[in-house]
Amino acid sequence: MTLERLSEHACFGGLQGFYRMDSAACGGSMRFAVYQPPQARAGRVPVLYFLAGLTCTEETAAMKAGAQRVAAELGLMLVMPDTSPRETGFDGATGDWEFGEGAGFYLDATQAPWSSRFRMESHVVHELPAVVREHFPADPGRTGITGHSMGGHGALTLAIKHPQQYRSVSAFAPIVAPCEVPWGRKAFGRYLGDHHAVWAEHDACALVRRRPFGRPILVDQGLADKFLETQLQPERFEAACAEAGQSLTLRRHAGYDHGYYFIASFIQDHLRHHAAQLAD
Ligand SMILES: N[C@@H](CCC(=O)N[C@@H](CSC=O)C(=O)NCC(=O)O)C(=O)O
């Protein structure tokens, strides 16, 4: 598959790049970012996918999370997809930051018109890794996934649903129960229709109760996060993991809000969590 290089920048001895690919899953071109650590010059390295949240693009985490320094130290490649297809022209795809472009929710929509382009689960789990494997020195057998907010929902649900693809998972301020909160109910109703059994296939709490991930999960949550009570409710995931016997470290941090200063403060712990689980 062809890859267009948009820009590349030396960074902590490695390379931060921005790319575009043709996406069959999303019916158009999709952008993504890759950080290659210095160790990638000598051979294949483990890979960590970072899924960003509502309103974000492939640039957000690359520019704001401050992950490259420790990724360079640990020899971790970082892959940062966009959060949805772009310039779809669909009615209602823009103008509401909680839905549509910038808000793909990392699932394959089943409802028209969204089902023809909003297929972020296929893009992130299958299509993008194939391109990464072909064009970068990534070791696909050592892949982890993390994310923030909507991206934390993506990381948890995709890891639980595709344990053969992901050996490690973590999340920052994730939406853990989208079936129960306004962000999830709005998006799922439009992308998936009124089929609540289908919704449950994309809900981290429902999924972990049915099939725990097995390996330890790390979640960080700021206590000054304005979305904590309405949209995030991490206690629901804590209870579901306890019921399912899933090992979870849920850290609550006083004073931290929902933004990237919070992520930058704890990203190194997540990179070390993944590096330890992705070691040979
Ligand atoms: N426009 C919104 C705020 C949008 C926002 O906070 N987006 C978060 C993700 S929220 C869940 O997925 C984000 O990561 N923003 C990017 C950033 O640089 O902070 C509002 O009006 O509150």
Side-chain angles (χ1 to χ4, degrees):
M1 202 176 296
T2 55
L3 180 80
E4 186 185 347
R5 285 179 160 67
L6 301 175
S7 69
E8 288 182 329
H9 315 272
C11 184
F12 292 105
L15 196 66
Q16 176 64 60
F18 297 90
Y19 308 94
R20 181 158 46 208
M21 60 179 278
D22 291 328
S23 166
C26 295
S29 68
M30 290 293 288
R31 295 163 79 119
F32 63 99
V34 176
Y35 176 67
Q36 299 182 64
Q39 295 85 341
R41 285 197 287 274
R44 292 197 175 263
V45 294
V47 196
L48 178 63
Y49 283 73
F50 186 107
L51 307 184
L54 294 165
T55 73
C56 294
T57 71
E58 76 289 352
E59 289 185 320
T60 312
M63 295 174 72
K64 291 178 142 184
Q68 291 92 344
R69 182 179 61 79
V70 174
E73 175 198 322
L74 298 172
L76 266 182
M77 184 179 294
L78 305 175
V79 177
M80 294 155 274
D82 200 353
T83 53
S84 77
R86 301 285 171 180
E87 297 180 0
T88 58
F90 295 155
D91 247 11
T94 56
D96 178 353
W97 66 275
E98 299 176 330
F99 179 76
E101 296 183 23
F105 271 82
Y106 303 102
L107 51 75
D108 287 358
T110 58
Q111 303 299 298
W114 316 105
S115 51
S116 63
R117 298 213 42 200
F118 284 73
R119 302 184 64 242
M120 288 300 290
E121 180 170 351
S122 292
H123 175 63
V124 167
V125 176
H126 302 296
E127 181 178 70
L128 181 54
V131 168
V132 168
R133 193 164 50 240
E134 185 181 337
H135 293 277
F136 301 90
D139 177 354
R142 291 187 292 157
T143 299
I145 190 162
T146 187
H148 170 229
S149 196
M150 175 185 73
H153 142 79
L156 294 173
T157 56
L158 297 183
I160 296 168
K161 289 174 77 175
H162 304 280
Q164 71 287 2
Q165 302 275 12
Y166 303 107
R167 274 173 51 182
S168 55
V169 63
S170 72
F172 296 88
I175 304 168
V176 297
C179 293
E180 313 296 338
V181 303
W183 277 342
R185 296 176 71 82
K186 178 192 275 190
F188 284 14
R190 297 179 191 181
Y191 289 136
L192 302 173
D194 194 21
H195 309 290
H196 288 240
V198 178
W199 290 21
E201 284 298 318
H202 305 280
D203 181 298
C205 288
L207 284 168
V208 82
R209 282 196 179 89
R210 289 220 311 276
R211 35 184 148 136
F213 181 65
R215 290 164 171 255
I217 298 176
L218 172 63
V219 171
D220 276 315
Q221 175 63 58
L223 293 179
D225 185 325
K226 68 178 176 182
F227 300 118
L228 177 57
E229 272 123 44
T230 47
Q231 308 282 7
L232 305 175
Q233 306 177 359
E235 63 281 2
R236 288 182 183 270
F237 194 58
E238 194 170 40
C241 287
E243 258 177 57
Q246 167 65 51
S247 161
L248 169 71
T249 301
L250 169 59
R251 306 190 305 185
R252 294 171 165 93
H253 302 282
Y256 286 88
D257 66 21
H258 196 63
Y260 269 78
Y261 296 113
F262 157 63
I263 297 173
S265 301
F266 300 104
I267 188 76
Q268 102 155 263
D269 298 349
H270 287 246
L271 297 177
R272 294 189 191 287
H273 164 86
H274 288 275
Q277 293 190 44
L278 299 176
D280 286 327

